[in-house]
Amino acid sequence: MAATQLTGSPVTVSARSLASLRASSAKFGTWKPGTLKQSQFRSLVVRAASVVAPKYTSIKPLGDRVLVKIKEAEEKTMGGILLPSTAQSKPQGGEVVAVGEGRTIGKTKIDIDVPTGAQIIYSKYAGTEVEFNDVQHLILKEDDIVGLLETEDIKDLKPLNDRVFIKVAQAEEKTAGGLLLTETTKEKPSIGTVIAVGPGSLDEEGKRQPLSISTGSTVLYSKYAGNDFKGKDGSNYIALRASDVMAILS
């Protein structure tokens, strides 16, 4: 995301930036207008969307970048409980509204595979936020797109490039001695079943290199890699790069 260094001049801060601003304000105490000097802002960085002036009517991404209209945050839980703005999770999906001309690898021209109108899932901290026509957008590289979403359920995600999509194994409910574990003490699993794989990454000549991991495999993956999701059925899923898969279990 783009980071805007605060100065003495006004800065536009998106709603999702306020949480990090509140956390940073603890270092300064109560923030009252006109009480902070410019020197006090040196270590305070706020992630803010770049606002495109109304005189501009279109945005054309360049190279291997795409422009995504960000999906609005969920305002209710699956059970219908209304969520306050502070509890709403940051969206990781949206609709592709414009694409760049692609890139060149060696002598090969590589077009962007993702079409306009596609619903996508992207890496959590990828890209630069842009406010255009009062709507939040994101400009990001094609490689930051995790996959295509053809239905409303994350379990149907179609991973792109060198990513694999895994259904996470359920956490152990009890210890080896039979003690029942609470949600907070359950260890995060790092084992799961591969349910979809991407077409592979591009080599130095621009050719696809198929992944060595196949669907149906039970794998051990790096514990803190990838992007976590929860399906409509309550199951946990993770999308990560094939290089974060450490072993195949059998």
Side-chain angles (χ1 to χ4, degrees), residues 121 148-159 165-167 194-196 229-238:
I121 299 296
L148 301 176
L149 195 57
E150 299 176 346
T151 72
E152 291 293 322
D153 198 337
I154 192 66
K155 71 179 179 62
D156 298 318
L157 181 73
K158 179 182 177 182
F165 191 51
I166 296 170
K167 183 176 182 180
V194 177
I195 59 175
F229 305 97
K230 185 173 285 292
K232 288 187 175 181
D233 61 353
S235 297
N236 292 312
Y237 299 87
I238 187 169

Side-chain angles (χ1 to χ4, degrees), residues 90 102 105 119 158 182-183 187 190 247:
K90 177 182 177 182
I105 299 180
Q119 297 293 324
K158 179 182 177 182
T182 63
E183 288 297 325
E187 185 175 356
S190 54

Side-chain angles (χ1 to χ4, degrees), residues 80-145:
I81 299 174
L82 191 64
L83 292 171
S85 57
T86 53
Q88 293 173 14
S89 60
K90 177 182 177 182
Q92 280 183 251
E95 177 185 352
V96 176
V97 294
V99 300
E101 66 275 12
R103 56 178 170 147
T104 300
I105 299 180
K107 296 181 179 180
T108 306
K109 176 69 165 56
I110 308 297
D111 294 325
I112 291 179
D113 289 335
V114 181
T116 56
Q119 297 293 324
I120 66 166
I121 299 296
Y122 49 82
S123 296
K124 195 167 188 178
Y125 300 107
T128 299
E129 290 185 28
V130 177
E131 185 177 314
F132 180 58
N133 289 338
D134 296 325
V135 177
Q136 295 296 322
H137 291 75
L138 193 68
I139 297 178
L140 70 163
K141 290 196 171 188
E142 182 186 21
D143 190 54
D144 289 322
I145 299 176

Side-chain angles (χ1 to χ4, degrees), residues 67-86:
L67 178 66
V68 178
K69 180 181 177 183
I70 299 175
K71 180 182 178 181
E72 293 183 2
E74 296 290 340
E75 296 184 355
K76 293 182 179 181
T77 65
M78 293 173 59
I81 299 174
L82 191 64
L83 292 171
S85 57
T86 53

